[in-house]
Amino acid sequence: MRKKYRERFLDPEVSKKIEVLENAPDTKSRLERMRTSLKSKVTEPFYIGAIGVFISIVAFLFFNEYAIIPIFFIWQFCSKYIKKSRTDIADLYVEHFLKPVLTEILPDTEVDYFGRIDLKILSNLVRDSEKYYSNCHIIFGDDYRTEFCNLESYHYTTDKDDHEVRHTDFTGQVLCAKLETNISGHIRVVPVYKKGIFGKNHWPYGNKRKDEKEVQTESIEFNNSYSIFSTDDFYTRLILDANIIELLNNMKKNMDVAIYMNEKYISVAFESKHFLFTAPHTKNYVDKLSLAGEYEKVRTKLADFYALIDIIGEKF
């Protein structure tokens, strides 16, 4: 029998354990030192940027067009410094706030803050986008080696003045679990964006493709909120049972959720409209950092995700 993880994120004892860990004298002392270090690193880029602007202005006033070369090198230096500072901030945040929480829940969890889930997995979920930006790649220490990342996807259009305009399609989180199934092809469950005279629109998750068949369920609420596009009718009806339908209907009340699954993995996109586990960028943000607070940011989403995986995993 497969191990189930949903209850781990609903267990109040886990929250209490993290609070006890955070309030331990040695932990409090260590976190306070990290907050001081983070505050210093958060403010440094502003000072470096201001100095760079000042020197550039002075150079231009004295040397006119000949100032272009020194200004170029000044901004090269500032750019590299700010980039390194952001990396240092993310490393401190991960090592002293994020990773201690995640490994307390699931040992052997790995975090690569500037990494992402495989692009093919992301594009299979949000098909209508052209570009995908992601961060905070986490590989949880569960049997599925579940992957997590923040995702913002977008596309471009050209306005009447021939200017390129960026449009954000999706902002939220993606989770992906490695799970061997017998699905032939794939199954997609996508939210209904709106209905019109031309039928349902599923932007940005993609409408029905030529190789897909739309599968209806007995739930009117579900059929109005989601569409199922599949290349495997048998496993679609086997997997998407009443328990999954009820769970997705409940999730829809809080945010849009999309699913893509094939013979190798199950992936879920939660359109929360914001990023989780954002590395601190202001002193005020640093002051609010806490181990328990970081855990609460993701607890319910992980519980919902593992509820889906637990139910689907029982089918195979």
Side-chain angles (χ1 to χ4, degrees):
M1 178 180 287
R2 294 180 185 275
K3 187 175 181 180
K4 296 185 177 182
Y5 294 93
R6 179 176 183 265
E7 298 306 317
R8 180 73 173 158
F9 295 95
L10 299 178
D11 185 356
E13 291 303 315
V14 175
S15 297
K16 290 179 182 177
K17 194 172 181 179
I18 292 173
E19 289 178 5
V20 170
L21 173 66
E22 183 169 20
N23 291 319
D26 59 332
T27 305
K28 290 179 73 173
S29 176
R30 176 175 57 82
L31 293 181
E32 193 55 42
R33 290 197 301 272
M34 287 307 101
R35 287 190 181 94
T36 301
S37 180
L38 279 169
K39 285 180 181 179
S40 174
K41 290 186 177 297
V42 162
T43 54
E44 282 175 2
F46 293 102
Y47 295 130
I48 293 296
I51 292 171
V53 170
F54 175 76
I55 294 176
S56 297
I57 292 173
V58 171
F60 185 78
L61 289 174
F62 279 92
F63 302 105
N64 297 320
E65 65 270 16
Y66 298 106
I68 293 176
I69 294 176
I71 288 174
F72 172 78
F73 285 107
I74 289 169
W75 284 107
Q76 281 284 94
F77 170 79
C78 291
S79 177
K80 289 180 180 178
Y81 185 90
I82 292 171
K83 186 176 181 179
K84 183 181 182 303
S85 180
R86 287 175 178 170
T87 301
D88 291 343
I89 290 169
D91 289 344
L92 284 172
Y93 169 67
V94 168
E95 192 64 29
H96 297 282
F97 289 92
L98 184 55
K99 201 168 182 180
V101 172
L102 299 178
T103 53
E104 184 66 37
I105 307 163
L106 292 169
D108 299 321
T109 293
E110 303 170 13
V111 183
D112 176 9
Y113 195 82
F114 294 103
R116 72 176 182 189
I117 292 174
D118 183 82
L119 180 59
K120 184 66 175 177
I121 294 173
L122 303 179
S123 60
N124 278 335
L125 280 165
V126 191
R127 290 193 168 191
D128 290 343
S129 295
E130 297 173 356
K131 300 289 184 179
Y132 301 84
Y133 168 74
S134 177
N135 69 15
C136 197
H137 184 211
I138 301 170
I139 302 177
F140 290 101
D142 58 31
D143 293 343
Y144 306 106
R145 298 302 288 165
T146 298
E147 295 183 65
F148 166 100
C149 73
N150 290 312
L151 173 66
E152 182 177 82
S153 67
Y154 48 95
H155 70 278
Y156 291 96
T157 59
T158 304
D159 64 17
K160 62 181 181 179
D161 298 318
D162 206 31
H163 295 145
E164 196 172 58
V165 181
R166 171 174 158 166
H167 304 272
T168 299
D169 302 324
F170 174 96
T171 304
Q173 288 68 47
V174 171
L175 289 111
C176 178
K178 305 294 189 300
L179 182 63
E180 294 291 333
T181 73
N182 294 315
I183 296 172
S184 176
H186 66 265
I187 301 169
R188 291 195 299 134
V189 182
V190 296
V192 175
Y193 174 58
K194 63 181 179 180
K195 294 181 179 180
I197 58 175
F198 299 108
K200 299 177 181 178
N201 187 313
H202 305 91
W203 174 89
Y205 305 98
N207 292 324
K208 186 170 77 72
R209 303 295 177 92
K210 290 181 179 180
D211 62 333
E212 296 174 333
K213 175 184 176 182
E214 183 168 3
V215 179
Q216 296 289 320
T217 73
E218 295 180 358
S219 169
I220 296 175
E221 179 184 359
F222 183 89
N223 294 336
N224 287 333
S225 300
Y226 296 94
S227 290
I228 303 170
F229 301 133
S230 169
T231 60
D232 190 326
D233 188 70
F234 173 77
Y235 272 102
T236 300
R237 298 188 184 280
L238 175 67
I239 295 170
L240 299 175
D241 60 14
N243 292 325
I244 292 288
I245 288 171
E246 181 181 3
L247 186 59
L248 289 172
N249 281 338
N250 290 333
M251 289 182 182
K252 179 71 173 177
K253 296 172 184 176
N254 298 316
M255 69 183 75
D256 282 340
V257 178
I259 300 174
Y260 179 95
M261 62 184 88
N262 59 22
E263 73 280 6
K264 293 182 179 180
Y265 66 82
I266 299 170
S267 56
V268 182
F270 296 89
E271 193 173 4
S272 61
K273 306 292 186 184
H274 60 267
F275 275 16
L276 293 175
F277 302 137
T278 302
H281 52 278
T282 65
K283 285 185 176 182
N284 187 49
Y285 195 109
V286 173
D287 285 331
K288 293 179 180 179
L289 281 177
S290 73
L291 299 183
E294 297 310 290
Y295 175 56
E296 285 302 316
K297 288 178 182 178
V298 76
R299 183 176 64 84
T300 54
K301 287 185 179 64
L302 288 174
D304 286 342
F305 175 77
Y306 281 112
L308 282 170
I309 299 300
D310 289 345
I311 296 171
I312 295 172
E314 292 176 348
K315 313 289 184 180
F316 305 101

